C-alpha cells in the first residue's frame, strides 16, 4: 500500500531541493516528514569536513517546532570510523551504546532512553560528509524508517550536487565574462607598462585580494605593477615587488615553468606574504567582516607568449578556499595577459625601429645662417607606425642661396621608405651641385621612371637667394605638391603660385618656377598634405583655418611656428592618420634676434577659437 503522506512529503522535498541555494535550507522539509514516521522521536543532522571537524549540528524532537542548532569547529578524530566511502552507509545502534568520541549527536539522542538509533552517513563532496540520525522506539518499522531515511539522503545529496553544479556554471560564466573583459581591457593599450597595470587592476578583487606583475628583462624580473584591496597592503605589496629578495629568488627559480604554483603555510615562511601581507592582513580583513582569519595563499603564473617567457603574475589570496580560482582559469588569464604584454613589447620595438628609420630618412640638422631662421617639425600620424613617405631638407648652394625641399611619397611602409630615401638624396645631391630646381625635379622624375617605381610622389623646391637690398628672391618649383604659404611681416598670409605634374607618372616632364620677393621677417612655410587634410568631427579640414592660424603666429620664430602648427593640426584632427611634415624659413636679412616684431599672444589665442 502506498503511503500518500510520505509520497507527498517526498515530492515537496524534491521541489524544495530544486530551488535551494544551500542544503541547510532543506532542513524543515527533511526533518518534519521523518518525525511524522511512526516510532521516530528525534532527528539529528551533522555536517563534517574532510579532517573530522564537526561544523554544524541540528536536532529536532517530535512535538517541538524549535530546533536546536549548534555551529562549531569541534575536532573529533574519533569520528573517522563513521566517515563514509563512496555510497551512503546505514547503521543501527542502541542509544546507550553510542561512543561520544564519534557521536556528538549522542547528547540529543539520549533524550529518548532505551531507543534505537538508525543513522545514515553520506558524502557530500571531496571536502566533507554528513550524517542523519533518528531515535526510534520499538514500535517503529525499521525497514520503513531505513527506506525513508535513504530516500531523504538521496534528495539531500542530489540537492548538494545541483548546488555545486549551478555554482560551477555560475563561476564558469563569471570567469568567462572576466576573461573577456580582461582581454578587452588589456588589448586596448599598446603601452607596455599601462598594459601591465591593467593586468593587475583587472584581477583585484575579482580573482584575488592582491596582485603583482613582473616583466622579464635580461637582468632578471623587473617589478612593474601591484594592487591590493587594502591601501596599506598595496604599499607593502609594491615594496615587496620591488625589493624583497625572497620573492625575487622565487621568480628567478621558476624561470621556464609553465604551471601555476600555489603556496601556503610553511611554503611561505620567510616571505613578505607571511608577515605584513599575510597573517596581519588576513586578520584585519577577517575582523572587518566578523569572520575568522583565512590563511594566506599565493599563486604564481608564468606569462608566456609565442614560445618565450615575458614575465609573471603573482596573486595573493586572503579568502576561503572555495573562492580560490582553479589552475585552468589562471592559465587562461596568464595566456591572455602574456599575449597582450607581448603585443605591447613588439609594438614598442617596432615603434623604436620605425622612429629610428624615420630619423635616418630626414636630415639630422638644418644649416644655420644669420640670413635665415630655419626649423622643421615631423609628426607621425599612423597608429600602426608604418614608415611614412614625408621628407624635407635644406641645402646650401654654391651661389650662396639655400634650397628648401619637401615631398610626400604615396603610401607607407618599406617601399615608401625606400622611395623617400631615393627622392630626398637625389634632390639634395643635384641641388648641392647648383642644379636649378626645375631640372632637379625633372631628373628625379626620370630616375623614378627608370627604376619603374610603383608609387608616385609630390614635391616642392624653393630657393632663397639673398639680394643686395636685403630682400630674398624666392623661386618655387612644384611637382603636384600643396602650395607653400608666405606669412608677411604685417601678418598677411598669401599662397605661393605653383603647379606641375606628379613625379613618377610620365616620362620627360618639365617644371617651371615662380618668383617673388621676401622682405625681412617674412616667413615661408612648406608642408605636406597631412597638415591641411586633418579633419575635425564636423567635417572641416585644417586647410580652412590654416591661414588664420598662421597669421596669429606673426612675429614668432621658425621653431615656434613649425611646432605650433603641427600641434594645432593634431588637436584639430578627429580623423585622418597621415604624417605631418613642416619646413619653416624666416628670412632675416640681418643677424638672428634683431628686427623681430613684438608678438601679441592675444592674436594667436583669438585664432584658436
Amino acid at each position: 500500500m502506498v503511503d500518500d503522506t510520505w509520497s507527498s512529503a517526498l515530492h515537496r522535498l524534491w521541489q524544495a531541493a530544486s530551488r535551494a541555494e544551500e542544503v541547510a535550507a532543506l532542513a524543515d522539509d527533511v526533518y518534519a516528514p521523518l518525525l511524522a514516521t511512526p516510532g521516530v522521536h528525534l532527528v539529528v543532522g551533522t555536517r563534517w569536513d574532510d579532517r573530522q571537524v564537526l561544523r554544524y549540528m541540528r536536532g529536532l524532537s517530535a512535538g517541538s517546532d524549535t530546533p536546536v542548532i549548534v555551529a562549531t569547529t569541534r575536532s573529533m578524530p574519533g569520528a573517522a570510523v563513521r566517515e563514509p566511502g563512496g555510497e551512503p552507509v546505514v547503521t543501527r545502534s542502541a542509544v546507550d551504546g553510542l561512543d561520544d568520541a564519534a557521536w556528538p549527536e549522542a547528547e540529543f539522542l539520549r533524550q529518548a532512553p532505551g531507543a534505537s538509533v538508525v543513522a545514515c552517513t553520506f558524502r557530500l563532496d571531496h571536502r566533507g560528509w554528513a550524517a542523519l540520525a533518528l531515535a526510534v522506539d520499538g514500535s517503529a518499522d525499521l525497514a520503513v524508517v531505513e527506506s525513508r531515511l535513504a530516500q531523504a539522503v538521496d534528495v539531500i545529496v542530489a540537492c548538494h550536487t545541483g548546488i555545486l553544479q549551478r555554482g560551477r556554471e555560475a563561476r564558469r560564466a563569471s570567469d568567462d565574462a572576466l576573461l573577456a573583459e580582461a582581454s578587452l581591457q588589456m588589448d586596448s593599450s599598446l603601452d607596455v607598462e599601462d598594459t601591465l597595470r591593467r593586468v593587475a587592476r583587472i584581477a583585484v578583487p575579482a580573482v584575488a585580494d592582491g596582485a603583482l606583475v613582473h616583466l622579464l628583462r635580461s637582468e632578471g624580473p623587473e617589478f612593474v605593477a601591484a594592487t591590493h584591496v587594502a591601501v596599506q597592503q598595496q604599499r607593502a605589496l609594491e615594496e615587496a615587488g620591488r625589493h624583497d629578495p625572497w620573492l625575487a629568488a622565487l621568480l628567478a627559480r621558476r624561470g621556464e615553468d609553465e604551471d601555476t604554483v600555489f603556496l601556503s603555510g610553511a611554503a611561505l615562511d620567510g616571505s613578505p606574504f607571511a608577515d605584513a601581507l599575510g597573517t596581519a592582513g588576513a586578520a584585519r580583513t577577517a575582523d572587518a567582516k566578523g569572520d575568522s582569519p583565512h590563511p594566506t595563499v599565493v599563486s604564481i603564473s608564468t606569462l608566456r607568449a609565442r614560445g618565450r617567457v615575458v614575465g609573471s603574475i603573482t596573486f595573493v589570496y586572503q579568502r576561503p578556499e572555495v573562492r580560490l580560482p582553479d589552475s585552468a582559469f589562471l592559465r587562461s588569464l596568464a595566456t591572455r595577459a602574456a599575449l597582450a604584454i607581448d603585443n605591447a613589447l613588439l609594438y614598442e620595438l617596432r615603434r623604436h625601429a620605425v622612429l629610428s628609420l624615420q630619423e635616418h630618412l630626414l636630415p639630422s640638422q638644418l644649416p644655420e645662417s644669420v640670413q635665415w631662421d630655419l626649423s622643421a617639425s615631423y609628426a607621425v600620424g599612423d597608429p600602426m607606425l608604418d614608415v611614412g613617405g614625408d621628407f624635407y631638407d635644406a641645402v646650401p648652394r654654391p651661389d650662396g642661396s639655400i634650397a628648401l625641399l619637401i615631398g610626400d611619397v604615396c603610401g607607407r611602409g618599406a617601399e615608401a621608405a625606400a622611395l623617400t630615401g631615393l627622392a630626398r638624396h637625389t634632390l639634395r645631391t643635384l641641388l648641392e651641385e647648383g642644379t636649378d630646381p626645375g631640372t632637379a625635379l625633372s631628373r628625379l622624375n626620370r630616375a623614378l621612371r627608370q627604376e619603374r617605381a610603383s608609387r608616385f610622389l609630390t614635391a616642392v623646391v624653393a630657393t632663397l637667394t639673398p639680394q643686395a637690398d636685403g630682400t630674398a628672391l624666392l623661386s618655387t618649383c612644384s611637382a603636384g605638391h600643396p602650395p607653400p604659404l608666405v606669412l608677411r611681416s604685417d601678418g598677411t598670409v598669401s599662397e605661393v603660385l605653383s603647379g606641375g605634374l606628379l613625379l613618377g607618372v610620365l616620362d620627360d616632364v618639365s617644371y617651371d618656377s615662380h618668383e617673388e620677393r621676401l622682405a625681412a621677417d617674412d616667413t615661408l612655410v612648406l608642408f605636406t598634405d597631412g597638415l591641411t587634410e586633418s579633419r575635425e568631427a564636423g567635417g572641416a579640414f585644417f586647410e580652412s583655418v590654416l591661414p588664420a592660424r598662421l597669421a596669429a603666429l606673426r612675429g614668432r620664430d621658425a621653431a615656434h611656428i613649425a611646432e605650433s602648427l603641427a600641434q594645432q593640426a593634431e588637436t584639430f584632427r578627429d580623423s585622418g592618420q597621415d604624417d605631418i611634415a613642416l619646413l619653416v624659413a624666416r628670412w632675416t636679412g640681418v643677424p638672428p634676434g634683431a628686427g623681430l616684431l613684438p608678438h601679441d599672444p592675444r592674436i594667436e589665442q583669438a585664432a584658436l577659437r
Side-chain angles (χ1 to χ4, degrees), residues 7 32 98 114 154 184 218 347 476:
S7 296
L98 297 179
D154 285 343
L184 289 174
S218 57
Y347 179 85
T476 308

Side-chain angles (χ1 to χ4, degrees), residues 548-596:
R549 299 289 180 92
L550 179 57
L553 296 170
R554 166 180 174 263
R556 303 308 296 261
D557 60 24
H560 181 87
I561 293 174
E563 291 300 326
S564 179
L565 289 178
Q567 292 175 5
Q568 290 182 45
E570 288 188 281
T571 302
F572 182 90
R573 176 164 57 193
D574 181 72
S575 63
Q577 298 178 343
D578 203 1
D579 292 358
I580 297 174
L582 284 131
L583 181 59
V584 178
R586 184 179 63 84
W587 182 255
T588 64
V590 292
L596 291 176

Side-chain angles (χ1 to χ4, degrees), residues 36-54:
T37 303
V40 176
H41 294 277
L42 188 68
V43 179
V44 184
T46 52
R47 182 77 176 267
W48 305 79
D49 68 15
D50 58 349
R51 296 182 296 274
Q52 315 310 327
V53 175
L54 176 65

Side-chain angles (χ1 to χ4, degrees), residues 415-458:
E415 187 178 357
L419 200 55
T420 297
L422 171 64
R424 176 184 161 234
H425 289 291
T426 297
L427 288 176
R428 180 180 181 87
T429 299
L430 292 172
L431 293 169
E432 278 182 330
E433 293 175 350
T435 305
D436 69 86
T439 302
L441 289 173
S442 295
R443 290 179 63 176
L444 173 59
N445 180 73
R446 190 180 312 129
L448 294 174
R449 299 294 293 168
Q450 291 173 349
E451 291 291 330
R452 300 183 181 276
S454 60
R455 300 170 184 257
F456 63 85
L457 63 94
T458 66

Side-chain angles (χ1 to χ4, degrees), residues 188-532:
S188 65
S189 174
L190 286 174
D191 179 84
V192 176
E193 292 195 3
D194 183 56
T195 299
L196 289 164
R197 284 190 291 269
R198 286 170 183 258
V199 172
R201 288 197 300 267
I202 287 167
V204 175
V207 177
D209 298 279
L212 275 163
V213 184
H214 286 79
L215 193 63
L216 183 63
R217 299 294 191 183
S218 57
E219 60 274 13
E222 175 189 329
F223 168 77
V224 178
T227 188
H228 198 281
V229 292
V231 175
Q232 290 182 341
Q233 275 70 54
Q234 178 164 335
R235 295 193 186 101
L237 198 62
E238 291 173 349
E239 183 68 17
R242 288 190 177 93
H243 306 298
D244 187 77
W246 183 93
L247 181 59
L250 177 62
L251 295 180
R253 286 198 306 271
R254 284 193 53 74
E256 299 289 321
D257 194 350
E258 296 184 14
D259 294 330
T260 294
V261 61
F262 285 87
L263 304 173
S264 61
L268 294 177
D269 288 347
S271 77
F273 310 109
D275 298 319
L277 292 171
T279 305
R284 280 188 289 270
T285 303
D287 289 342
K289 297 180 179 179
D291 301 327
S292 59
H294 300 294
T296 298
V297 178
V298 173
S299 70
I300 302 175
S301 300
T302 300
L303 302 178
R304 176 185 292 273
R306 300 180 179 93
R308 66 189 185 94
V309 176
V310 297
S312 65
I313 182 165
T314 303
F315 289 133
V316 181
Y317 313 92
Q318 291 157 349
R319 55 183 62 186
E321 182 182 351
V322 294
R323 292 183 55 204
L324 297 181
D326 57 33
S327 295
F329 171 79
L330 292 178
R331 280 197 301 271
S332 183
L333 180 61
T335 298
R336 294 166 191 246
L339 287 173
I341 293 169
D342 194 53
N343 286 337
L345 287 169
L346 292 175
Y347 179 85
E348 185 180 72
L349 290 174
R350 181 180 181 184
R351 179 176 180 275
H352 178 76
V354 166
L355 293 179
S356 177
L357 177 57
Q358 198 85 63
E359 288 176 359
H360 284 84
L361 293 174
L362 301 172
S364 57
Q365 60 182 18
L366 297 175
E368 296 181 0
S369 169
V370 296
Q371 294 180 308
W372 55 71
D373 173 22
L374 290 179
S375 188
S377 177
Y378 196 104
V380 177
D382 182 18
M384 296 306 294
L385 281 176
D386 281 327
V387 182
D390 293 12
F391 64 93
Y392 61 82
D393 207 343
V395 184
R397 290 159 56 81
D399 62 356
S401 65
I402 185 172
L404 309 176
L405 61 100
I406 194 167
D408 186 1
V409 176
C410 172
R412 311 184 69 84
E415 187 178 357
L419 200 55
T420 297
L422 171 64
R424 176 184 161 234
H425 289 291
T426 297
L427 288 176
R428 180 180 181 87
T429 299
L430 292 172
L431 293 169
E432 278 182 330
E433 293 175 350
T435 305
D436 69 86
T439 302
L441 289 173
S442 295
R443 290 179 63 176
L444 173 59
N445 180 73
R446 190 180 312 129
L448 294 174
R449 299 294 293 168
Q450 291 173 349
E451 291 291 330
R452 300 183 181 276
S454 60
R455 300 170 184 257
F456 63 85
L457 63 94
T458 66
V460 63
V461 179
T463 59
L464 294 174
T465 305
Q467 303 296 302
D469 60 0
T471 64
L473 177 64
L474 169 63
S475 179
T476 308
C477 193
S478 177
H481 197 80
L485 297 177
V486 174
L487 171 62
R488 300 293 179 179
S489 59
D490 61 3
T492 59
V493 176
S494 60
E495 188 177 271
V496 177
L497 296 178
S498 60
L501 192 65
L502 303 173
L503 295 164
V505 177
L506 299 176
D507 298 328
D508 301 324
V509 179
S510 59
Y511 297 92
D512 299 324
S513 296
H514 169 78
E515 294 184 350
E516 58 183 279
R517 292 289 183 111
L518 294 184
D521 299 320
D522 287 348
T523 302
L524 176 67
V525 181
L526 297 89
F527 48 86
T528 56
D529 58 10
L531 180 75
T532 54

